[in-house]
Amino acid sequence: ITNVWGFTSPGEEPQWGLPLATGAWLCRHIWEHYLYSTNVTYLRNNYGIIKGAAEFLLDWLVINPSTGKLVSGPASSPENMFVTSNGDWASISMGPSHDQEIIKELFTIVLLSATKLRI
């Protein structure tokens, strides 16, 4: 469970308790604080958090054999479920859009931050 109440362990249900990209999502708030304040010292002091989240994700991503692209997973999208080929409902898949969007955004934030900090 990774949520606003401070739980950080996997939850009881994979659909809502397995969002491993949450750290990347939280880094968005660091970036937004910087954009609002334009405080370069703040960005420099928090760059390690942003970079560390990106490094975690790089270690987690795997190559999708069908597309050759890097995807997260196994992972879930907390708001979505789908019907499998045998008719079961599932929430775990490889490369859910939820993760892919957050990961792309974090990698962009890392690049923009590094450019701004001249790293």
Side-chain angles (χ1 to χ4, degrees):
I1 304 169
T2 306
N3 59 32
V4 296
W5 297 280
F7 300 111
T8 58
S9 62
E12 297 172 7
E13 294 289 332
Q15 180 184 6
W16 55 264
L18 188 67
L20 294 178
T22 303
W25 175 65
L26 291 172
C27 287
R28 172 70 188 179
H29 300 291
I30 295 170
W31 180 244
E32 287 180 358
H33 180 91
Y34 162 71
L35 290 177
Y36 181 77
S37 68
T38 66
N39 183 337
V40 176
T41 302
Y42 172 84
L43 182 61
R44 186 176 312 283
N45 289 342
N46 288 282
Y47 178 74
I49 296 169
I50 297 168
K51 182 181 175 193
E55 290 171 340
F56 168 81
L57 292 173
L58 283 172
D59 286 342
W60 182 40
L61 296 174
V62 296
I63 295 173
N64 180 328
S66 299
T67 65
K69 295 182 179 184
L70 290 172
V71 296
S72 62
S76 69
S77 180
E79 290 85 20
N80 296 307
M81 292 189 76
F82 57 92
V83 180
T84 65
S85 59
N86 65 359
D88 293 332
W89 284 91
S91 61
I92 303 294
S93 66
M94 296 301 290
S97 297
H98 173 266
D99 283 357
Q100 297 304 110
E101 292 172 19
I102 290 172
I103 292 166
K104 180 180 179 182
E105 183 175 49
L106 176 66
F107 288 170
T108 300
I109 289 169
V110 169
L111 293 173
L112 292 171
S113 297
T115 299
K116 183 66 180 178
L117 297 172
R118 297 187 176 132
I119 295 175

Tab-separated table of all heavy atoms in Angstrom, residues 1-2 9-19 75-81 89-92:
chain	number	residue	atom	x	y	z
A	1	ILE	N	0.860	-1.174	0.000
A	1	ILE	CA	0.000	0.000	0.000
A	1	ILE	C	0.901	1.230	0.000
A	1	ILE	O	1.686	1.402	0.907
A	1	ILE	CB	-0.902	0.033	1.238
A	1	ILE	CG1	-1.725	-1.238	1.346
A	1	ILE	CG2	-1.775	1.278	1.225
A	1	ILE	CD1	-2.441	-1.402	2.658
A	2	THR	N	0.815	2.045	-0.987
A	2	THR	CA	1.554	3.303	-1.030
A	2	THR	C	0.505	4.390	-1.188
A	2	THR	O	-0.082	4.539	-2.248
A	2	THR	CB	2.521	3.318	-2.218
A	2	THR	OG1	3.337	2.158	-2.140
A	2	THR	CG2	3.401	4.542	-2.186
A	9	SER	N	3.884	-0.578	2.099
A	9	SER	CA	4.033	-1.994	1.751
A	9	SER	C	2.994	-2.389	0.705
A	9	SER	O	1.988	-1.700	0.538
A	9	SER	CB	3.858	-2.854	3.004
A	9	SER	OG	2.552	-2.681	3.530
A	10	PRO	N	3.230	-3.500	-0.008
A	10	PRO	CA	2.216	-3.941	-0.970
A	10	PRO	C	0.867	-4.141	-0.289
A	10	PRO	O	0.802	-4.582	0.856
A	10	PRO	CB	2.771	-5.268	-1.490
A	10	PRO	CG	4.231	-5.166	-1.273
A	10	PRO	CD	4.406	-4.350	-0.007
A	11	GLY	N	-0.191	-3.806	-0.981
A	11	GLY	CA	-1.528	-3.897	-0.414
A	11	GLY	C	-2.153	-5.268	-0.557
A	11	GLY	O	-1.564	-6.193	-1.102
A	12	GLU	N	-3.363	-5.363	-0.072
A	12	GLU	CA	-4.083	-6.628	-0.099
A	12	GLU	C	-4.558	-6.999	-1.498
A	12	GLU	O	-4.757	-8.159	-1.798
A	12	GLU	CB	-5.271	-6.558	0.848
A	12	GLU	CG	-4.855	-6.373	2.289
A	12	GLU	CD	-6.035	-6.101	3.202
A	12	GLU	OE1	-7.193	-6.188	2.764
A	12	GLU	OE2	-5.789	-5.795	4.372
A	13	GLU	N	-4.785	-6.025	-2.330
A	13	GLU	CA	-5.248	-6.250	-3.690
A	13	GLU	C	-4.226	-5.686	-4.665
A	13	GLU	O	-3.892	-4.509	-4.587
A	13	GLU	CB	-6.600	-5.570	-3.929
A	13	GLU	CG	-7.742	-6.137	-3.133
A	13	GLU	CD	-8.165	-7.506	-3.617
A	13	GLU	OE1	-7.996	-7.812	-4.812
A	13	GLU	OE2	-8.670	-8.282	-2.788
A	14	PRO	N	-3.740	-6.474	-5.595
A	14	PRO	CA	-2.745	-5.961	-6.544
A	14	PRO	C	-3.227	-4.749	-7.333
A	14	PRO	O	-2.454	-3.885	-7.668
A	14	PRO	CB	-2.487	-7.144	-7.473
A	14	PRO	CG	-2.907	-8.335	-6.713
A	14	PRO	CD	-3.996	-7.891	-5.795
A	15	GLN	N	-4.537	-4.686	-7.588
A	15	GLN	CA	-5.052	-3.576	-8.396
A	15	GLN	C	-4.721	-2.230	-7.768
A	15	GLN	O	-4.343	-1.296	-8.456
A	15	GLN	CB	-6.557	-3.710	-8.585
A	15	GLN	CG	-7.124	-2.577	-9.418
A	15	GLN	CD	-8.616	-2.631	-9.543
A	15	GLN	OE1	-9.279	-3.443	-8.919
A	15	GLN	NE2	-9.156	-1.762	-10.354
A	16	TRP	N	-4.839	-2.099	-6.465
A	16	TRP	CA	-4.565	-0.814	-5.829
A	16	TRP	C	-3.354	-0.847	-4.907
A	16	TRP	O	-2.923	0.189	-4.431
A	16	TRP	CB	-5.792	-0.321	-5.056
A	16	TRP	CG	-6.316	-1.300	-4.042
A	16	TRP	CD1	-7.335	-2.185	-4.232
A	16	TRP	CD2	-5.859	-1.496	-2.716
A	16	TRP	NE1	-7.527	-2.944	-3.102
A	16	TRP	CE2	-6.636	-2.529	-2.149
A	16	TRP	CE3	-4.864	-0.929	-1.934
A	16	TRP	CZ2	-6.458	-2.980	-0.859
A	16	TRP	CZ3	-4.697	-1.386	-0.637
A	16	TRP	CH2	-5.483	-2.401	-0.111
A	17	GLY	N	-2.776	-1.997	-4.674
A	17	GLY	CA	-1.677	-2.094	-3.732
A	17	GLY	C	-0.322	-2.371	-4.340
A	17	GLY	O	0.631	-2.659	-3.632
A	18	LEU	N	-0.196	-2.295	-5.667
A	18	LEU	CA	1.064	-2.625	-6.320
A	18	LEU	C	1.530	-1.532	-7.290
A	18	LEU	O	2.028	-1.814	-8.348
A	18	LEU	CB	0.916	-3.962	-7.064
A	18	LEU	CG	2.178	-4.571	-7.666
A	18	LEU	CD1	3.153	-5.000	-6.581
A	18	LEU	CD2	1.828	-5.740	-8.560
A	19	PRO	N	1.361	-0.268	-6.949
A	19	PRO	CA	1.816	0.781	-7.868
A	19	PRO	C	3.280	1.141	-7.605
A	19	PRO	O	3.592	2.067	-6.877
A	19	PRO	CB	0.875	1.948	-7.570
A	19	PRO	CG	0.547	1.781	-6.121
A	19	PRO	CD	0.563	0.287	-5.860
A	75	ALA	N	2.932	-5.096	-13.355
A	75	ALA	CA	2.426	-3.925	-12.665
A	75	ALA	C	0.923	-3.813	-12.860
A	75	ALA	O	0.331	-4.531	-13.660
A	75	ALA	CB	3.121	-2.672	-13.207
A	76	SER	N	0.336	-2.905	-12.099
A	76	SER	CA	-1.100	-2.689	-12.223
A	76	SER	C	-1.389	-1.212	-12.402
A	76	SER	O	-0.596	-0.359	-12.017
A	76	SER	CB	-1.830	-3.209	-10.983
A	76	SER	OG	-1.524	-2.406	-9.866
A	77	SER	N	-2.515	-0.934	-12.992
A	77	SER	CA	-3.026	0.417	-13.050
A	77	SER	C	-4.115	0.488	-11.987
A	77	SER	O	-5.087	-0.271	-12.057
A	77	SER	CB	-3.590	0.726	-14.434
A	77	SER	OG	-4.081	2.034	-14.478
A	78	PRO	N	-3.982	1.340	-10.984
A	78	PRO	CA	-4.893	1.284	-9.841
A	78	PRO	C	-6.368	1.518	-10.165
A	78	PRO	O	-7.227	1.109	-9.413
A	78	PRO	CB	-4.363	2.358	-8.901
A	78	PRO	CG	-3.378	3.136	-9.652
A	78	PRO	CD	-2.960	2.354	-10.845
A	79	GLU	N	-6.661	2.152	-11.272
A	79	GLU	CA	-8.055	2.422	-11.596
A	79	GLU	C	-8.626	1.489	-12.655
A	79	GLU	O	-9.809	1.592	-12.980
A	79	GLU	CB	-8.229	3.863	-12.096
A	79	GLU	CG	-8.035	4.908	-11.029
A	79	GLU	CD	-6.578	5.288	-10.846
A	79	GLU	OE1	-5.766	5.045	-11.760
A	79	GLU	OE2	-6.238	5.814	-9.774
A	80	ASN	N	-7.824	0.628	-13.227
A	80	ASN	CA	-8.285	-0.150	-14.374
A	80	ASN	C	-8.144	-1.651	-14.174
A	80	ASN	O	-7.189	-2.120	-13.568
A	80	ASN	CB	-7.502	0.247	-15.626
A	80	ASN	CG	-7.754	1.676	-16.013
A	80	ASN	OD1	-8.894	2.086	-16.168
A	80	ASN	ND2	-6.699	2.447	-16.156
A	81	MET	N	-9.099	-2.361	-14.728
A	81	MET	CA	-9.032	-3.819	-14.820
A	81	MET	C	-9.386	-4.170	-16.257
A	81	MET	O	-9.912	-3.342	-16.998
A	81	MET	CB	-9.996	-4.482	-13.851
A	81	MET	CG	-9.602	-4.280	-12.390
A	81	MET	SD	-10.596	-5.264	-11.257
A	81	MET	CE	-9.897	-6.894	-11.497
A	89	TRP	N	-11.245	-11.478	-14.898
A	89	TRP	CA	-10.877	-10.079	-14.684
A	89	TRP	C	-9.478	-10.039	-14.081
A	89	TRP	O	-9.158	-10.830	-13.202
A	89	TRP	CB	-11.858	-9.394	-13.743
A	89	TRP	CG	-13.146	-9.078	-14.414
A	89	TRP	CD1	-14.266	-9.865	-14.467
A	89	TRP	CD2	-13.439	-7.907	-15.156
A	89	TRP	NE1	-15.239	-9.247	-15.187
A	89	TRP	CE2	-14.768	-8.029	-15.626
A	89	TRP	CE3	-12.718	-6.748	-15.475
A	89	TRP	CZ2	-15.376	-7.057	-16.391
A	89	TRP	CZ3	-13.338	-5.780	-16.230
A	89	TRP	CH2	-14.646	-5.935	-16.684
A	90	ALA	N	-8.649	-9.132	-14.553
A	90	ALA	CA	-7.269	-9.016	-14.063
A	90	ALA	C	-6.868	-7.540	-13.986
A	90	ALA	O	-7.503	-6.680	-14.604
A	90	ALA	CB	-6.319	-9.767	-14.983
A	91	SER	N	-5.829	-7.272	-13.216
A	91	SER	CA	-5.307	-5.909	-13.126
A	91	SER	C	-3.800	-5.864	-13.317
A	91	SER	O	-3.226	-4.788	-13.381
A	91	SER	CB	-5.671	-5.291	-11.773
A	91	SER	OG	-5.093	-6.036	-10.719
A	92	ILE	N	-3.158	-7.011	-13.395
A	92	ILE	CA	-1.707	-7.074	-13.547
A	92	ILE	C	-1.368	-7.309	-15.016
A	92	ILE	O	-1.920	-8.195	-15.658
A	92	ILE	CB	-1.115	-8.225	-12.703
A	92	ILE	CG1	-1.495	-8.081	-11.227
A	92	ILE	CG2	0.402	-8.297	-12.875
A	92	ILE	CD1	-0.907	-6.880	-10.544
